[in-house]
């Protein structure tokens, strides 16, 4: 397993070790001991799965209570994955990173607590799997406007056009009006 710092060092890009042969490929997507040693992740308590169609944009989501860290990977398809630092005390506050995650490249992204998260589906469909460090709490969920010009996130919408959004994501608040972490 290879772990690399991103432009925001608390977010890690993980490349699991692959074992390919004539039958296909095997890889370990989670090992509590190994990940704790290499990433110092808190314990995970919930796994989530999202199946989405091309052009679906989900995010930028976070919780103000039961703050979640996430270990994200794509088992099928491809997404443009974004993490936005909303920790007011961070030197990277208001900055974001992006990574293309796919079933082909098998990369994972560790997003610690204190970040808003979102993704855009690039392929015809995509299956995104993520482990969370705390439970989902609907009343504590918040959404930051995905296309806020203050953030200038360069979503790759060229061949997609307008993204498909949920009602919640259509009504995200501007970054300047969001609730931040200390």
């Amino acid at each position: 397993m290879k772990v690399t710092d991103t432009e925001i060092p608390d977010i890690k890009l993980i490349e699991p070790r692959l074992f390919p042969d004539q039958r296909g490929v095997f890889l370990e997507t989670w090992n509590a001991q190994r990940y704790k040693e290499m990433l110092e992740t808190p314990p995970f308590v919930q796994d989530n799965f999202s199946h989405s169609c091309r052009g679906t944009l989900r995010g930028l989501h976070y919780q103000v209570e039961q703050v979640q860290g996430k270990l994200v990977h794509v088992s099928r398809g491809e997404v443009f994955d974004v993490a936005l630092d909303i920790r007011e005390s961070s030197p990277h506050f208001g900055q974001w990173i992006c990574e293309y995650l796919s079933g082909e490249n098998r990369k994972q992204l560790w997003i610690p607590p204190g970040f808003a998260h979102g993704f855009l589906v690039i392929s015809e469909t995509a299956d995104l799997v993520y482990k969370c460090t705390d439970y989902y709490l609907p009343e504590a969920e918040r959404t930051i406007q995905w296309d806020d010009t203050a953030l200038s996130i360069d979503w790759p919408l060229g061949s997609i056009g307008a993204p498909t959004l949920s009602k919640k994501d259509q009504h995200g608040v501007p970054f300047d009006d969001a609730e931040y972490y200390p």
Side-chain angles (χ1 to χ4, degrees), residues 90-106:
S90 168
H92 303 285
F93 176 71
Q95 296 176 17
W96 53 272
I97 64 98
C98 63
E99 289 291 337
Y100 284 92
L101 305 178
S102 72
E104 292 295 316
N105 69 25
R106 309 284 188 203

Side-chain angles (χ1 to χ4, degrees), residues 124-144:
E124 286 306 309
T125 62
D127 294 340
L128 187 128
V129 181
Y130 50 105
K131 301 183 92 49
C132 298
T133 61
D134 212 332
Y135 298 102
Y136 176 63
L137 184 63
E139 61 271 19
E141 186 176 36
R142 303 293 186 268
T143 303
I144 295 174

Side-chain angles (χ1 to χ4, degrees), residues 51-66:
H51 174 81
S52 304
C53 299
R54 178 178 168 83
T56 297
L57 193 151
R58 297 182 188 267
L60 300 160
H61 302 152
Y62 65 102
Q63 293 185 174
V64 293
E65 296 173 44
Q66 294 181 204

Side-chain angles (χ1 to χ4, degrees), residues 32-120:
Q33 181 179 350
R34 186 169 296 124
Y35 278 65
K36 185 177 181 182
E37 289 170 4
M38 296 189 80
L39 296 173
E40 298 179 18
T41 58
F44 291 105
V45 299
Q46 179 176 318
D47 285 356
N48 295 332
F49 172 86
S50 172
H51 174 81
S52 304
C53 299
R54 178 178 168 83
T56 297
L57 193 151
R58 297 182 188 267
L60 300 160
H61 302 152
Y62 65 102
Q63 293 185 174
V64 293
E65 296 173 44
Q66 294 181 204
V67 179
Q68 297 176 317
K70 297 176 181 176
L71 179 64
V72 181
H73 76 272
V74 171
S75 60
R76 180 180 299 156
E78 182 177 28
V79 305
F80 177 80
D81 203 84
V82 174
L84 168 66
D85 193 341
I86 58 173
R87 303 168 299 170
E88 285 186 292
S89 61
S90 168
H92 303 285
F93 176 71
Q95 296 176 17
W96 53 272
I97 64 98
C98 63
E99 289 291 337
Y100 284 92
L101 305 178
S102 72
E104 292 295 316
N105 69 25
R106 309 284 188 203
K107 293 178 181 178
Q108 298 176 325
L109 201 59
W110 162 241
I111 305 167
F115 289 81
H117 175 248
F119 63 91
L120 171 68

